[in-house]
Amino acid sequence: MDTTVHVPSGPTSGATPPTGSVASSARGLTKVYGEGAAAVRALDGVDVDFAAGAFTAIMGPSGSGKSTLMHLLAGLDLATSGEVLLGTTRLTTLDDGDLTRLRRDRVGFVFQSFNLLPMFTAEQNVLLPLELAGVKPDPAWFDTLVDTLGLRQRLTHRPSELSGGQQQRVAIARALIAKPDVVFADEPTGNLDSRSGAEVLSFLRRSVRELGRTVIMVTHDPTAAAYADRVVLLADGRIAGEILDPTPDAVLAGLDALRTLETTTDTAVSA
């Protein structure tokens, strides 16, 4: 049975990016946790592409598989079956060492909890990925990030001396400093008030539109998702639809459609 939800604002089937090259993709992606009667199928044959130079949000009900999908796309977890590609590189064929180098050199991460080192200054936190890789920073790129994110006056401050929004801006600069192919953001505004959250989302959008980066964000917040160019909807471990040029109302309508689908499916199964 086709369970794709057709949502407002020009959804298209197949969850394919509208234009441009593909930065990250999955084919037949399946993830099962546990075995036998206790097995949980978190992802069930997902096919999806994420356009390079775009800001994409992944949304769905709790337990829909959105965080699992992001972790597999970022090489933080291994698939049960199927393929994950970063550009043309098949993550599913890499050994642990190659995966570690890929995450270090080609992927950036922004987490809900910031994950800054408390004993380091903002500047040291930003430059940490390059230091660990033994790579010298590009001064022009560092200055661009610092000025775009409004961190120039905060570089000598430690995390305890920064607000939550400032800490997340440092985390974004850290994620971008190595010029990664893709930045993955996991609920990046979850610990922020609405004003700080809006600032962080604006900076993520600017990093795409002005700095040419690719951002894939998991969020539960329709307002946050509306900052993206595209929203991919998940339900029960499957792609359930997408929204292009999303607005908060369109995202809410899409989520309502998913809830209606779940209710209808549960009723059909019970019958």
Side-chain angles (χ1 to χ4, degrees):
M1 179 176 67
D2 181 7
T3 59
T4 300
V5 176
H6 296 286
V7 294
S9 287
T12 59
S13 61
T16 302
T19 58
S21 61
V22 175
S24 178
S25 59
R27 291 292 177 269
L29 190 60
T30 298
K31 179 65 177 181
V32 179
Y33 294 101
E35 298 179 354
V40 175
R41 188 173 290 267
L43 292 178
D44 188 10
V46 168
D47 293 330
V48 64
D49 294 329
F50 295 90
F55 186 0
T56 306
I58 302 173
M59 298 195 76
S62 178
S64 61
K66 54 187 181 294
S67 290
T68 299
L69 175 59
M70 191 188 76
H71 291 164
L72 293 175
L73 293 172
L76 295 173
D77 198 1
L78 299 177
T80 302
S81 62
E83 286 190 335
V84 176
L85 293 93
L86 184 68
T88 59
T89 302
R90 284 180 169 78
L91 274 62
T92 38
T93 65
L94 301 181
D95 60 25
D96 288 345
D98 287 336
L99 270 175
T100 298
R101 285 185 285 274
L102 179 139
R103 289 192 298 264
R104 182 192 68 196
D105 298 337
R106 298 179 58 190
V107 175
F109 298 98
V110 180
F111 300 99
Q112 179 176 335
S113 56
F114 316 141
N115 288 1
L116 302 179
L117 293 181
M119 74 291 293
F120 283 4
T121 65
E123 180 173 1
Q124 290 169 324
N125 270 287
V126 170
L127 296 175
L128 183 60
L130 298 182
E131 184 173 335
L132 292 175
V135 176
K136 291 184 177 181
D138 175 346
W141 179 242
F142 175 80
D143 286 342
T144 295
L145 290 179
V146 166
D147 292 334
T148 299
L149 291 164
L151 292 172
R152 181 66 62 186
Q153 305 304 317
R154 296 289 183 267
L155 291 178
T156 60
H157 291 64
R158 288 180 170 78
S160 62
E161 301 170 311
L162 302 173
S163 68
Q166 290 167 346
Q167 290 185 65
Q168 194 62 295
R169 281 187 266 158
V170 172
I172 293 170
R174 180 184 60 188
L176 292 169
I177 190 65
K179 301 181 183 178
D181 295 352
V182 181
V183 171
F184 293 95
D186 190 1
E187 298 281 4
T189 61
N191 283 337
L192 302 177
D193 59 46
S194 58
R195 179 177 177 179
S196 296
E199 290 177 351
V200 164
L201 291 163
S202 294
F203 286 126
L204 285 173
R205 185 165 60 184
R206 287 181 66 187
S207 74
V208 172
R209 297 182 180 180
E210 297 178 20
L211 304 179
R213 300 297 96 191
T214 300
V215 175
I216 300 174
M217 173 181 70
V218 166
T219 183
H220 69 280
D221 182 357
T223 300
Y227 281 79
D229 303 306
R230 168 175 171 250
V231 176
V232 172
L233 298 171
L234 282 181
D236 296 323
R238 299 178 181 180
I239 300 297
E242 65 178 6
I243 305 170
L244 305 180
D245 299 320
T247 64
D249 287 344
V251 175
L252 280 170
L255 294 174
D256 285 343
L258 291 184
R259 284 189 282 269
T260 300
L261 173 65
E262 287 183 330
T263 300
T264 302
T265 303
D266 289 345
T267 301
V269 170
S270 299

